[in-house]
Amino acid sequence: MPYAYYVTTKEILENARENNYAVCAFNAENLEMVQAIVWGAEEMRAPVIIQTTPSTIKYADCEYFYAIAHTAAEKAQIIVALHLDHGSSFALVCKAVRAGYSSVMIDGSQKPFEENIKITQKVVELAHSVNIPVEAELGKVGGKEDDMESDGDVYTNPEDAVEFVKQTDINSLAIGIGTAHGLYKVPPKLDLDRLSQIKKVVDVPLVLHGATGLSDEVIKECVKRGINKINFATELRLTYTNAVREKLNSDEKIIDVKVYSDYARNCVKELVKSKIMLSGSSGRI
Ligand code: 13P
Ligand code: ZN
């Protein structure tokens, strides 16, 4: 891969597709989490995707995340992309692109098929005009992510997926094979054969959402069967928050924010490294 520190997910994911591995996409909520992600990836010599959801952007705005992610990327010897996760509207996509995000997702998965195609086409037209790749979703990821909650049939139909990609010209496709956002009450049973079928007929990188709580074996099997991007959010939030709690509980005299933030940052960095290990993306740079 040619070296340029801040890239689009198109460059990252096409390389992953050609060489049969996956790249991890981690959700960040603050400066420390962005650093943990980039530093962890740098130690693993892996390309990495930082992503933020609409509620995270509401908390701190796209411009802050762009500045932090871009700076972290500039200081590291790897390639980094900044992606809008579960983009909920055309307006939010525009905002992220304007701020400098190098990748966007439009999530029309809750809409009927034709409407999902329509909103995705509109986003693709805008994003491609400035060379920004687009991820879209067909089928559903269960559970709750941000303000979106899904129920009902969650599985992606392979023929619909072919039609969806053809009509929208998207760069990557998030599919429903039985994963869900948040923590699983019981281990999920994924439809891995469906993943293999979709992989056979769809010619863009495939994205797995809801990877928190999946076993290492299942993650590796999903990569083997053709997943090229794996999303982790809940596990990072949990690790960060538990670390802060643990540190503060250990000594009630702590008042220096840096003490518990540094500890939490390190814990997230170790988590990031362990997930990269499973994805097959380590040592690619
Ligand atoms: P979880 O970490 O909640 O499993 O989901 C990650 C994700 O899909 C973010 O878009
Ligand atoms: Zn998701």
Side-chain angles (χ1 to χ4, degrees):
M1 243 184 266
Y3 180 71
Y5 59 91
Y6 188 69
V7 300
T8 71
T9 50
K10 185 171 179 185
E11 293 157 78
I12 289 181
L13 296 180
E14 282 302 332
N15 190 283
R17 193 167 79 98
E18 279 160 27
N19 296 291
N20 304 310
Y21 66 94
V23 173
C24 294
F26 298 108
N27 286 65
E29 316 279 3
N30 60 14
L31 163 76
E32 287 78 6
M33 289 173 88
V34 170
Q35 290 174 324
I37 293 163
V38 174
W39 295 354
E42 189 177 27
E43 283 185 22
M44 301 299 284
R45 313 293 323 153
V48 77
I49 300 164
I50 301 165
Q51 52 188 22
T52 61
T53 60
S55 75
T56 302
I57 288 169
K58 207 164 149 197
Y59 171 71
D61 238 328
C62 294
E63 287 78 9
Y64 285 98
F65 283 104
Y66 169 72
I68 296 167
H70 191 269
T71 303
E74 199 175 5
K75 286 175 169 289
Q77 299 294 313
I78 52 166
I79 54 174
V80 177
L82 178 61
H83 175 74
L84 171 65
D85 188 30
H86 292 285
S88 48
S89 68
F90 182 74
L92 189 60
V93 167
C94 293
K95 195 172 150 57
V97 169
R98 221 178 291 125
Y101 277 49
S102 61
S103 179
V104 292
M105 174 186 189
I106 179 71
D107 184 355
S109 63
Q110 304 299 318
K111 300 181 193 297
F113 187 68
E114 289 303 330
E115 273 181 52
N116 190 357
I117 287 183
K118 233 190 210 162
I119 178 75
T120 303
Q121 282 173 335
K122 192 173 166 192
V123 164
V124 165
E125 192 185 357
L126 174 272
H128 283 191
S129 74
V130 285
N131 294 320
I132 299 296
V134 177
E135 173 185 330
E137 180 170 324
L138 187 64
K140 290 172 191 151
V141 179
K144 197 171 186 313
E145 174 67 46
D146 256 21
D147 302 326
M148 289 192 196
E149 189 159 11
S150 64
D151 48 18
D153 185 15
V154 297
Y155 294 101
T156 305
N157 174 310
E159 284 152 37
D160 286 351
V162 172
E163 188 59 25
F164 188 82
V165 171
K166 192 170 145 208
Q167 287 206 37
T168 57
D169 196 25
I170 49 169
N171 303 93
S172 57
L173 179 69
I175 56 171
I177 56 167
T179 59
H181 292 118
L183 296 173
Y184 294 101
K185 290 190 190 92
V186 288
K189 243 197 110 23
L190 303 190
D191 191 344
L192 294 170
D193 289 338
R194 184 179 296 265
L195 163 57
S196 298
Q197 284 164 16
I198 297 169
K199 181 69 180 178
K200 243 187 240 160
V201 293
V202 168
D203 59 0
V204 295
L206 299 178
V207 182
L208 186 70
H209 283 244
T212 289
L214 299 182
S215 70
D216 293 359
E217 289 67 36
V218 166
I219 290 175
K220 281 195 219 157
E221 186 62 24
C222 287
V223 176
K224 203 166 138 198
R225 288 179 184 245
I227 287 293
N228 297 124
K229 174 176 181 266
I230 321 173
N231 286 9
F232 298 95
T234 304
E235 228 167 322
L236 276 78
R237 294 171 189 148
L238 205 62
T239 299
Y240 191 93
T241 305
N242 284 343
V244 170
R245 197 176 282 129
E246 185 196 322
K247 197 73 188 167
L248 290 177
N249 283 344
S250 74
D251 180 356
E252 62 178 24
K253 287 201 271 318
I254 293 175
I255 54 161
D256 185 344
V257 175
K258 296 188 288 302
V259 170
Y260 57 85
S261 301
D262 180 53
Y263 180 64
R265 182 170 59 183
N266 256 314
C267 292
V268 173
K269 189 180 88 174
E270 290 309 312
L271 176 75
V272 161
K273 285 163 64 181
S274 71
K275 299 304 180 190
I276 286 174
M277 216 36 218
L278 301 173
S279 70
S281 62
S282 63
R284 300 280 173 180
I285 295 170

